[in-house]
Amino acid sequence: MPPREAVNYFGAGPAPLPTPVLEAASKALLNYEDMGIGIAEMSHRSPQANQILADTKAALATLLDIPDDYDILFTQSGGSGQFSAVVFHMVSIWVERARQSMEKQWANDDTMKNASEHERTQALKSIINTTMKLNYLVTGSWSLKASQEAARLIGQEHVSIASDSRTLRDGKFGGIAQESDWHLRHPVSTGVLPELRTPALTWMCDNETVDGVEFPAFPKTLEANDGDAMVVADMSSNFLSRKVDVRKYAVIFGGAQKNIGTTGITIIILRKSLLPPQAQMASPTLLRQLGLPVGPIVLDWPTIAKNNSLYNTLPILDVWIAGQVMQRLVNTYGDKKIVGQEEISNQKAGALYGALDAYPQIYNVVPDKSVRSRMNICLRIKGGDADAEKKFLAGAEERLLLGLKGHRSVGGIRISNYNAVSVQGVEKLVKYLNDFASG
């Protein structure tokens, strides 16, 4: 059996973690801070657990320069759970805004002023049915799944696919359309008040893990909306790999099992203005009357925030591991913060793409060059030759370069270049890429 230091793992998630963090975790599992019990055994409501939460939040806020008017939540259910939670929350806010706006308008309408509660509800339902939109930028498998979940919950009529990258490549992902070709929905129906002419949200997956596509920067079109777009970003697989201007987003979320930690927690960064008391939300009774879903309590952001992420039993070990990974980045890069890691990530990605591009007759990088992911490098060998790809994977395993098989839905090869993948590991893989192509 090879020692850990001899293996280089490029799997897409669960992904490698820094060895020093795992060594510290092994000790914490047995005896955390000389308590005589392990970290996985202690109460999630203990002073120690609360300190772990505070330290992890502080490290993340430092790395990303998270403003004070944003909150950080920890929850379970993975990134996929947030496909639902985001819809529950953002729709509830939009519906309550619609209700209040229409009530003001109806105050000057003699007919509606004397209308019954049922009549008002039906009138509100009509407005919502014709006006409420959720924009989705479908750039890969995960944003597609998110849009499908939204349609399942609230109906396809409310989900606007502002862009579908499959139209660029004969039904396959691998690109991002020019922003001028996006069709973001901003309802302007006659009689609709100005405050209702914004979408409930605009969804983007910053990095598509399966398809190897990453937004090179924040879209200028969404920036021009001056926050009205309510941008929600799934950053599960490029979290903490580059500098992010948090203020441009209403919500950022990601599962921890890529760059941050172990499977078990999801991290959410959101504007405090989206939480009570600043944000008012439609009541469950009203949502049911309108035919809209009411989300489970464990996905309810106000409940999670009010309880400091401890409404139910949070896996504190997973939070602690994430915090240790973050604190290592803080200690390593100092004043550079996350820009220090961004430089390393870009260096590794550049070396890998350089080796692949040097042998176009052997390696075909799947995504368009303008949107290549720095985190998940997807390629085919000899145009997708099955025998050649099997040979490549077998040779890689002989050199203890593991986890290179592509996602089952697309096949091929996928090199995941997460933060814990060392420069030395990438150099070994680059050598193998050169040797395989030359052999």
Side-chain angles (χ1 to χ4, degrees), residues 173-184:
F173 290 118
I176 297 178
Q178 296 293 318
E179 293 182 36
S180 58
D181 293 328
W182 295 358
H183 300 285
L184 296 166

Side-chain angles (χ1 to χ4, degrees), residues 8 13 19-20 31-32 58 101 107 112 126 129 160 211 311 319 332-334 343 359 396 402 406 421:
N8 290 282
T19 297
N31 189 352
Y32 181 71
S101 297
M112 293 305 299
S126 177
N129 286 345
S160 173
D211 304 286
Y311 175 77
V319 178
T332 300
Y333 298 115
E343 292 171 354
Y359 302 97
L402 308 181
V421 173

Side-chain angles (χ1 to χ4, degrees), residues 381 385-396 413 432 436:
I381 296 176
D385 182 290
D387 290 336
E389 290 181 345
K390 287 179 182 178
K391 181 179 179 183
F392 177 88
L393 291 171
I413 310 298
Y432 177 58
F436 183 86

Side-chain angles (χ1 to χ4, degrees), residues 6 18 44 61 129 218 251 272 290 321 395:
H44 62 298
N129 286 345
F218 187 84
V251 182
K272 289 180 180 177
L290 295 170
I321 288 175

Side-chain angles (χ1 to χ4, degrees), residues 107-360:
N108 300 314
D109 184 320
D110 290 337
T111 300
M112 293 305 299
K113 191 185 300 183
N114 299 314
S116 67
E117 181 180 346
H118 175 73
E119 289 171 329
R120 285 173 174 247
T121 299
Q122 290 306 112
L124 177 60
K125 186 174 183 178
S126 177
I127 289 292
I128 289 170
N129 286 345
T130 58
T131 306
M132 187 176 71
K133 296 295 178 185
L134 285 67
N135 287 316
Y136 280 78
L137 298 169
V138 176
T139 54
S141 301
W142 290 112
S143 50
L144 176 61
K145 287 178 183 292
S147 71
Q148 291 169 336
E149 174 64 357
R152 187 183 73 87
L153 291 173
I154 61 172
Q156 187 64 58
E157 66 273 16
H158 293 299
V159 177
S160 173
I161 305 301
S163 177
D164 188 338
S165 294
R166 291 173 296 181
T167 62
L168 304 174
R169 312 186 97 203
D170 297 324
K172 294 183 178 180
F173 290 118
I176 297 178
Q178 296 293 318
E179 293 182 36
S180 58
D181 293 328
W182 295 358
H183 300 285
L184 296 166
R185 295 294 297 273
H186 299 282
V188 290
S189 302
T190 302
V192 175
L193 298 177
E195 55 264 40
L196 301 186
R197 294 178 185 171
T198 56
L201 64 88
T202 298
W203 182 288
M204 60 184 288
C205 181
D206 207 40
N207 183 79
E208 292 281 2
T209 321
V210 172
D211 304 286
V213 170
E214 184 176 30
F215 280 87
F218 187 84
K220 293 186 181 300
T221 300
L222 301 182
E223 200 167 313
N225 277 288
D226 195 28
D228 287 341
M230 285 290 186
V231 179
V232 174
D234 178 354
M235 292 191 181
S236 291
S237 54
N238 65 351
F239 225 150
L240 298 186
S241 72
R242 65 179 178 184
K243 186 174 177 59
V244 172
D245 186 350
V246 174
R247 287 199 179 277
K248 293 180 179 178
Y249 302 87
V251 182
I252 295 170
F253 74 87
Q257 68 275 12
K258 312 289 188 179
N259 272 328
I260 304 172
T262 46
T263 304
I265 58 166
T266 306
I267 300 172
I268 306 165
I269 304 169
L270 75 163
R271 291 181 191 146
K272 289 180 180 177
S273 61
L274 296 176
L275 294 169
Q278 296 182 61
Q280 297 184 45
M281 306 179 68
S283 70
T285 298
L286 177 60
L287 291 171
R288 284 192 290 269
Q289 290 171 342
L290 295 170
L292 294 171
V294 178
I297 196 73
V298 292
L299 293 180
D300 184 65
W301 293 346
T303 300
I304 296 167
K306 182 180 178 180
N307 289 276
N308 190 31
S309 298
L310 296 172
Y311 175 77
N312 61 328
T313 307
L314 190 69
I316 290 299
L317 169 62
D318 299 312
V319 178
W320 181 84
I321 288 175
Q324 293 295 299
V325 170
M326 294 173 191
Q327 191 59 51
R328 277 177 58 82
L329 293 173
V330 171
N331 296 342
T332 300
Y333 298 115
D335 292 341
K336 280 190 171 183
K337 301 179 182 177
I338 205 59
V339 172
Q341 180 60 53
E342 181 176 8
E343 292 171 354
I344 299 298
S345 296
N346 292 347
Q347 174 191 338
K348 293 187 295 174
L352 290 164
Y353 281 120
L356 296 171
D357 289 340
Y359 302 97

